[in-house]
Amino acid sequence: DTGVSQDPRHKITKRGQNVTFRCDPISEHNRLYWYRQTLGQGPEFLTYFQNEAQLEKSRLLSDRFSAERPKGSFSTLEIQRTEQGDSAMYLCASSHPGDGYTFGSGTRLTVV
Amino acid sequence: AQKVTQAQTEISVVEKEDVTLDCVYETRDTTYYLFWYKQPPSGELVFLIRRNSFDEQNEISGRYSWNFQKSTSSFNFTITASQVVDSAVYFCALSVLSNDYKLSFGAGTTVTVRA
């Protein structure tokens, strides 16, 4: 297992377009997390899954954001009608509850 | 609610100097974990250490050492004999049982090591 993979690494999109990011966690980990990190800040929690069940969504996650984890494997994070304020690094992590988290390299989104 | 404070925004040192990064946390939980992560310019968060709330032993790993003091709610990190490759943003994070162990991060400290 090569760790947590995220695709794409970079995404530039025009305002108003939809984007989708993918995360492939470590296969033995049943939990998957999405975080968002803006410049000069620490990562902020967005949402997380245990297997295929989405357990919580942060209030940071507006209705334009949706995340899925079909079959409890990979996860996707979609942003509809992107805005400039969505520009950030989107980080995915996986873990067992209470264990250390393994983060992916992130997807850097730029909305122009 | 839980909170992590990293009061130092930026630290600049000359190679071979020691550097200590401060981390103060707040939680009412008695069961929690503390973490340090390194984020180099490439962007990936690299795990450095995890400590649980019941283990106050200090830890040393090579040039890295950590000082956990529950009495002051601090979990400080020291890099001894810093090197240019240590230049990165360092994050302290907290996960607590009552929050289902989701990570809460501090704002990070940018460390620049000059040759």
Side-chain angles (χ1 to χ4, degrees):
Chain A
D1 201 332
T2 56
V4 178
S5 299
Q6 291 190 247
D7 183 69
R9 289 293 308 274
H10 304 273
K11 179 71 177 179
I12 300 175
T13 190
K14 291 184 178 179
R15 188 174 50 186
Q17 297 293 305
N18 298 345
V19 294
T20 300
F21 311 141
R22 177 180 170 123
C23 172
D24 287 273
I26 292 174
S27 55
E28 308 90 73
H29 288 172
N30 59 359
R31 289 208 168 177
L32 185 148
Y33 303 79
W34 285 99
Y35 282 79
R36 181 171 67 188
Q37 184 180 17
T38 53
L39 202 61
Q41 299 297 318
E44 296 174 299
F45 168 77
L46 293 180
T47 187
Y48 76 125
F49 295 82
Q50 178 152 314
N51 301 314
E52 67 275 10
Q54 189 172 21
L55 298 184
E56 184 180 338
K57 292 169 60 174
S58 163
R59 64 180 186 278
L60 294 174
L61 220 60
S62 75
D63 291 344
R64 297 183 297 104
F65 288 72
S66 63
E68 294 182 341
R69 192 184 182 195
K71 302 178 184 177
S73 56
F74 70 92
S75 175
T76 58
L77 178 68
E78 181 184 15
I79 309 175
Q80 297 182 325
R81 305 181 302 282
T82 51
E83 302 173 355
Q84 287 190 323
D86 298 331
S87 296
M89 174 78 89
Y90 290 84
L91 292 162
C92 176
S94 68
S95 79
H96 279 304
D99 285 353
Y101 290 58
T102 302
F103 281 84
S105 299
T107 295
R108 186 172 297 281
L109 173 67
T110 303
V111 182
V112 298
Chain B
Q2 48 284 330
K3 183 180 178 182
V4 177
T5 302
Q6 295 180 255
Q8 304 148 307
T9 305
E10 294 184 33
I11 300 176
S12 181
V13 296
V14 176
E15 210 170 16
K16 298 184 183 177
E17 287 185 345
D18 297 348
V19 56
T20 295
L21 311 181
D22 297 333
C23 173
V24 174
Y25 63 94
E26 296 175 32
T27 179
R28 294 184 177 180
D29 281 53
T30 56
T31 302
Y32 54 88
Y33 292 90
L34 293 160
F35 301 79
W36 276 95
Y37 284 87
K38 174 182 180 179
Q39 189 174 45
S42 59
E44 183 175 357
L45 280 167
V46 179
F47 169 80
L48 296 178
I49 191 172
R50 181 182 72 141
R51 304 296 289 182
N52 74 57
S53 52
F54 302 108
D55 182 3
E56 283 194 76
Q57 266 194 323
N58 292 330
E59 184 158 338
I60 298 174
S61 176
R63 296 184 297 106
Y64 294 168
S65 62
W66 292 270
N67 184 303
F68 177 25
Q69 292 194 338
K70 287 178 74 170
S71 60
T72 55
S73 297
S74 65
F75 186 45
N76 297 338
F77 171 35
T78 297
I79 304 172
T80 302
S82 60
Q83 300 175 2
V84 173
V85 293
D86 295 327
S87 297
V89 183
Y90 291 85
F91 291 98
C92 181
L94 169 69
S95 70
V96 305
L97 174 61
S98 65
N99 196 29
D100 203 19
Y101 293 119
K102 297 190 296 292
L103 279 174
S104 299
F105 285 87
T109 298
T110 300
V111 173
T112 302
V113 181
R114 309 185 309 276

